[in-house]
Amino acid sequence: MQAGYQAAAPSWSAGPGRMYEALARELLASAGLPVAGRTVLDLGSGTGAACRAALAAGARAVVPADLAPAMLRGCPPRAHPVAADARALPFADGCFDLVAAACCLGHLPDPGAGLREIRRVGGALAASSFAPGWTHPAKAAVDSVLASYGYRPPGWYAEFKQHAEPQAGDPDALAALAAAAGFGRVSVRAVTVATGLSTPAELAGWRLGLAHVVPFVRGLDPAARAALLRAAQAAVAGTGPLQVGMLVLTAC
């Protein structure tokens, strides 16, 4: 997984990054937890989508943390990025007022262990994951094009889709994991997020720029890459705009 995100980092902002920026803004807006003047940990930050949202909301300081150092290079200059494993964070107990985990828990082999670490270092949590059953026609369209070029999902992607993501995408399971981690007040609700992506180029860029796809696309020769991009854009024509079903977990 880490290698995939390392590879995806240089082009992330032009592809999936726009969707994740919208999801992070909605997470902090929907969580209803105070951000202004607070210290915030942006866990599984990638290029810092939640970091930017927290700073815009008046956070006093934000620390982005992610396993992929190349992704962290895209974080805002005001941030203080740290390469770290969510299951063993290099921070003192209770050193953050708020932990923002935007689309992070579904990537952890053990979401419960991640939540216990979050509880150790943070006073409150705002986390998001994709809502159960959510999909979009562009996803199946691009996946079909990729398959025609010989693409097969890497093992790590199949593993987390089968095990970790279903836990993070189940409202009852997610709430139970947060409670078991020691949070006293837990709430999970579903929201729909308008991402602003609608054109064929934007939708194809979202799917082709994801970490489990980029290494395959980069391995194609230039002519095949160009043909794949044209085919993906043709396949997603008329499927926009992209709206995402998202779960918002708040806990303190």
Side-chain angles (χ1 to χ4, degrees), residues 13 39 80 105 176 218 240:
S13 63
T39 57
H80 306 282
L105 298 177
R218 293 238 179 105

Side-chain angles (χ1 to χ4, degrees), residues 7-97:
S11 57
W12 188 261
S13 63
R18 288 189 57 195
M19 182 191 78
Y20 284 101
E21 294 280 340
L23 298 184
R25 289 192 298 269
E26 183 60 33
L27 168 62
L28 290 187
S30 297
L33 296 169
V35 178
R38 303 302 178 99
T39 57
V40 179
L41 172 64
D42 176 8
L43 186 62
S45 65
T47 56
C51 176
R52 277 181 283 276
L55 289 171
R60 177 167 60 86
V62 185
V63 175
D66 198 282
L67 264 179
M71 294 289 282
L72 291 170
R73 295 187 191 111
C75 290
R78 289 176 56 192
H80 306 282
V82 174
D85 189 327
R87 297 164 296 177
L89 295 169
F91 306 116
D93 295 357
C95 63
F96 295 99
D97 300 310

Side-chain angles (χ1 to χ4, degrees), residues 168-226:
D170 181 326
D172 294 334
L174 192 58
L177 287 172
F183 287 102
R185 289 183 290 172
V186 177
S187 170
V188 181
R189 63 190 185 92
V191 299
T192 299
V193 185
T195 67
L197 277 66
S198 60
T199 69
E202 291 168 341
L203 295 171
W206 157 50
R207 295 305 303 172
L208 295 178
L210 292 169
H212 62 282
V213 175
V214 165
F216 171 81
V217 174
R218 293 238 179 105
L220 298 174
D221 65 67
R225 279 200 304 274

